[in-house]
Amino acid sequence: MSPVPAVPALPADASHARSPFGTAPSPPALPRVRINATVNAGLRVLLLLTVLPRGCLCGYHEKRLLNSLLASYNTLERPVANESEPLEVKFGITLQQIIDVDEKNQILTTNAWLKLEWTDYNLQWNVTEYGGVKDLRITPNKLWKPDVLMYNSADEGFDGTYQTNVVVTHNGSCLYVPPGIFKSTCKIDIAWFPFDDQHCDMKFGSWTYDGNQLDLILNSEGGGDLSDFITNGEWYLIGMPGKKNTIMYQCCPEPYVDVTFTIQIRRRTLYYFFNLIVPCVLISSMALLGFTLPPDSGEKLTLGVTILLSLTVFLNLVAETLPQVSDAIPLLGTYFNCIMVMVASSVVLTVVVLNYHHRTPENHRMPQWAKTVLLQWLPWILRMNRPGKKISRKTILMNNRMKELELQERSSKSLLANVLDINDDFCHGNNAANPPTVYNTRSTFGTPLTARPSTVEETSASLPLSGTQRELHTILKELQFITNRMKKADSEAEVISDWKFAAMAVDRFCLYVFSLFTLIATVAVLLSAPHVIVQ
């Protein structure tokens, strides 16, 4: 220990004792004034504090140590004993918080602390020679420190660290822990949004020293320190592994060493599930309910158009939430597009159903394929039955066969049998009981069962008619007119009923198909995602 510097001798009237570390000069004598006891006690305390030594042992030696270390220290010198050997720098990072993930600009903003450790042979001293001082805090601008920067920085100032003091120990070990807000570029993959995982790299390395001059060593094999991490509300941190890389760049022939930390994060899907997916499913289910609404209510098309407009407004709000990038189509965007197409198709098919429902025989004639598909096979597949008619595969085949036989039978009947809708056998069976007039009428206007039936006009044109026969002819014409009108009314009512039942069958078919489509689309989106954990 160095000797304490000499202190000038005090005057003989000095009333203060000599300190083992030197004697401090006495303050000037206080004026003798009358003061109360409280002020007198305060002055005594102040006098006692004034006469104490102005510096302690450690502060004095720390000052002397700093002067000794920094007197000839050069901040440009790489602190190695042998210039042919690289300086080893241990590098680590402590992640504090994930501040923001900007999908549009592909920037990750984090709050982290860097940790750099190296040995400076110029900053070593003997503890016993400097009053037991073991460590110092020195500003980084007075020392050499490695120029480690983040290569993929997106900050305006490029380096977002705050310059803190360097902790130097007596054996030359230097510890530099600068905190900072880091903005790093990150390739955002939104193909599975909102069930996506992101891997963002933070690449650190020396900007000017190559691997032969400065060697970065990963401080921890497990990667970054996550002990003080603050949980993010949008992202779940999976891990932060680190890796040391040695890369040969095209600009320089020397190898450059860097340490890359990969922040592995997973998006929390609870917000998107209950605010995007569930409302979309509910809106699409309302579109399905439109197929159960009767066409005569008049609100069937209005309901479909209203649902389509509400879904369009909802998708405009969702578009602001989706990442605005064109590298890939988000999974949620694909699902919304499918639902949008489904709702639009439901409106189109609702128009078709209303068109079928309000068709009349005067405007439309149902083709044979429509009768077969819409009135027979489609209701049979959907298990639909008309009142008083049971549809099955057997009845469909029997009805088709009976229609063929009916056409053949009608073509072989006489005129009177067709008009009165009776059989020729009935007329033959009652010939003996009938008056001759009726028999003559059948002989005149009818033909045998095997011949073609004669019309009223053909019969009247071929044979002269008596008075009674003329009256019968007029009655037959009136009966034929009335029968034709009744048959036409029944036929029109049957055709209208067929069109309405066809519209009902199409409505039921659309209900099943779109319900199945919505269910499959929702399940496919959830199952195709890498993870479906709602957290």
Side-chain angles (χ1 to χ4, degrees), residues 146-152 158 205-210 214 256-257:
D147 56 345
V148 175
L149 297 175
M150 185 169 63
Y151 284 7
N152 59 331
F158 198 83
S206 176
W207 194 255
T208 57
Y209 292 103
D210 55 53
L214 192 146
Y256 280 82
V257 180

Side-chain angles (χ1 to χ4, degrees), residues 13 16 26-32 47:
D13 57 349
H16 301 284
S26 302
L30 294 174
R32 296 181 178 179
L47 181 62

Side-chain angles (χ1 to χ4, degrees), residues 334-531:
T334 304
Y335 174 70
F336 283 158
N337 289 331
C338 292
I339 297 299
M340 188 74 175
V341 171
M342 187 273 293
V343 175
S345 302
S346 67
V347 174
V348 174
L349 290 175
T350 300
V351 174
V352 174
V353 169
L354 292 176
N355 193 337
Y356 281 1
H357 184 79
H358 294 286
R359 283 188 177 185
T360 59
E362 289 82 2
N363 300 327
H364 298 87
R365 176 179 175 272
M366 181 175 287
Q368 186 61 36
W369 68 267
K371 294 180 180 180
T372 304
V373 175
L374 301 180
L375 299 181
Q376 295 179 0
W377 292 108
L378 187 59
W380 175 68
I381 295 174
L382 300 176
R383 298 295 187 266
M384 297 176 61
N385 293 318
R386 302 177 71 172
K389 298 180 181 180
K390 185 177 181 181
I391 301 176
S392 63
R393 186 174 181 274
K394 184 177 180 180
T395 56
I396 292 173
L397 298 177
M398 290 180 62
N399 289 335
N400 294 335
R401 182 60 180 169
M402 290 178 63
K403 287 182 179 179
E404 294 177 1
L405 294 176
E406 184 180 356
L407 291 176
Q408 294 177 2
E409 183 180 0
R410 292 180 65 87
S411 63
S412 61
K413 285 183 179 181
S414 62
L415 174 61
L416 182 59
N418 284 325
V419 171
L420 300 179
D421 197 11
I422 61 176
N423 296 327
D424 286 333
D425 296 337
F426 176 80
C427 298
H428 284 293
N430 294 284
N431 281 339
N434 289 338
T437 308
V438 178
Y439 176 77
N440 293 335
T441 303
R442 187 192 180 279
S443 301
T444 306
F445 298 102
T447 57
L449 187 61
T450 58
R452 184 181 65 83
S454 301
T455 62
V456 177
E457 289 77 6
E458 291 176 352
T459 306
S460 61
S462 61
L463 297 175
L465 302 176
S466 62
T468 304
Q469 293 175 347
R470 189 176 295 107
E471 291 177 0
L472 290 175
H473 176 71
T474 305
I475 293 173
L476 289 176
K477 289 181 65 176
E478 294 296 332
L479 289 175
Q480 186 180 17
F481 177 77
I482 295 172
T483 305
N484 290 336
R485 290 296 299 268
M486 294 177 64
K487 287 183 177 179
K488 183 179 179 181
D490 293 341
S491 177
E492 290 179 354
E494 184 177 359
V495 171
I496 293 175
S497 177
D498 290 344
W499 279 117
K500 290 183 177 181
F501 187 74
M504 186 185 303
V506 174
D507 226 0
R508 185 70 57 84
F509 177 75
C510 293
L511 175 63
Y512 290 159
V513 170
F514 286 115
S515 300
L516 185 62
F517 176 81
T518 303
L519 179 62
I520 292 176
T522 305
V523 173
V525 167
L526 296 178
L527 294 183
S528 61
H531 59 90

Side-chain angles (χ1 to χ4, degrees), residues 108-397:
L108 171 66
T109 305
T110 56
N111 179 12
W113 300 351
L114 302 183
K115 184 178 180 181
L116 294 88
E117 296 182 73
W118 69 95
T119 301
D120 193 335
Y121 84 104
N122 293 322
L123 300 176
Q124 298 179 0
W125 68 90
N126 190 351
V127 177
T128 59
E129 296 180 358
Y130 292 93
V133 178
K134 296 181 179 180
D135 51 32
L136 298 173
R137 275 73 178 168
I138 307 176
T139 56
N141 57 351
K142 294 182 178 297
L143 300 178
W144 179 93
K145 64 182 181 66
D147 56 345
V148 175
L149 297 175
M150 185 169 63
Y151 284 7
N152 59 331
S153 175
D155 194 280
E156 296 179 356
F158 198 83
D159 186 13
T161 59
Y162 178 78
Q163 303 295 321
T164 59
N165 292 334
V166 180
V167 180
V168 182
T169 57
H170 64 92
N171 58 356
S173 176
C174 300
L175 176 62
Y176 181 49
V177 186
I181 305 296
F182 297 93
K183 293 183 178 180
S184 58
T185 58
C186 179
K187 178 65 176 178
I188 303 296
D189 184 13
I190 62 166
W192 302 109
F193 177 85
F195 307 98
D196 55 335
D197 294 347
Q198 303 297 335
H199 295 171
C200 298
D201 294 336
M202 299 180 69
K203 183 178 179 181
F204 294 91
S206 176
W207 194 255
T208 57
Y209 292 103
D210 55 53
N212 299 326
Q213 297 174 333
L214 192 146
D215 185 17
L216 283 179
I217 300 176
L218 193 60
N219 192 13
S220 176
E221 295 296 334
D225 185 8
L226 305 177
S227 58
D228 297 330
F229 179 74
I230 300 175
T231 305
N232 187 272
E234 185 180 0
W235 297 93
Y236 172 75
L237 181 62
I238 301 176
M240 190 179 180
K243 182 181 179 182
K244 176 182 176 181
N245 303 308
T246 302
I247 303 176
M248 302 288 294
Y249 294 97
Q250 296 182 356
C251 65
C252 313
E254 299 84 4
Y256 280 82
V257 180
D258 67 80
V259 174
T260 302
F261 294 94
T262 303
I263 300 179
Q264 301 174 355
I265 53 179
R266 174 173 296 173
R267 194 187 301 269
R268 298 179 182 269
T269 58
L270 184 62
Y271 170 83
Y272 298 95
F273 186 82
F274 283 99
N275 291 278
L276 298 182
I277 297 179
V278 172
C280 186
V281 173
L282 293 178
I283 293 176
S284 60
S285 62
M286 292 176 62
L288 298 177
L289 294 177
F291 292 112
T292 63
L293 193 65
D296 293 330
S297 63
E299 299 294 333
K300 192 177 184 67
L301 185 60
T302 304
L303 177 63
V305 174
T306 304
I307 294 173
L308 180 61
L309 293 177
S310 62
L311 184 61
T312 304
V313 174
F314 177 73
L315 290 181
N316 289 333
L317 298 177
V318 171
E320 300 178 358
T321 306
L322 295 177
Q324 301 177 4
V325 295
S326 300
D327 296 338
I329 300 177
L331 182 64
L332 188 61
T334 304
Y335 174 70
F336 283 158
N337 289 331
C338 292
I339 297 299
M340 188 74 175
V341 171
M342 187 273 293
V343 175
S345 302
S346 67
V347 174
V348 174
L349 290 175
T350 300
V351 174
V352 174
V353 169
L354 292 176
N355 193 337
Y356 281 1
H357 184 79
H358 294 286
R359 283 188 177 185
T360 59
E362 289 82 2
N363 300 327
H364 298 87
R365 176 179 175 272
M366 181 175 287
Q368 186 61 36
W369 68 267
K371 294 180 180 180
T372 304
V373 175
L374 301 180
L375 299 181
Q376 295 179 0
W377 292 108
L378 187 59
W380 175 68
I381 295 174
L382 300 176
R383 298 295 187 266
M384 297 176 61
N385 293 318
R386 302 177 71 172
K389 298 180 181 180
K390 185 177 181 181
I391 301 176
S392 63
R393 186 174 181 274
K394 184 177 180 180
T395 56
I396 292 173
L397 298 177

Side-chain angles (χ1 to χ4, degrees), residues 10-19 23-30 47-48 51:
L10 294 175
D13 57 349
S15 60
H16 301 284
R18 182 181 298 271
S19 171
T23 304
S26 302
L30 294 174
L47 181 62
L48 180 61
V51 299

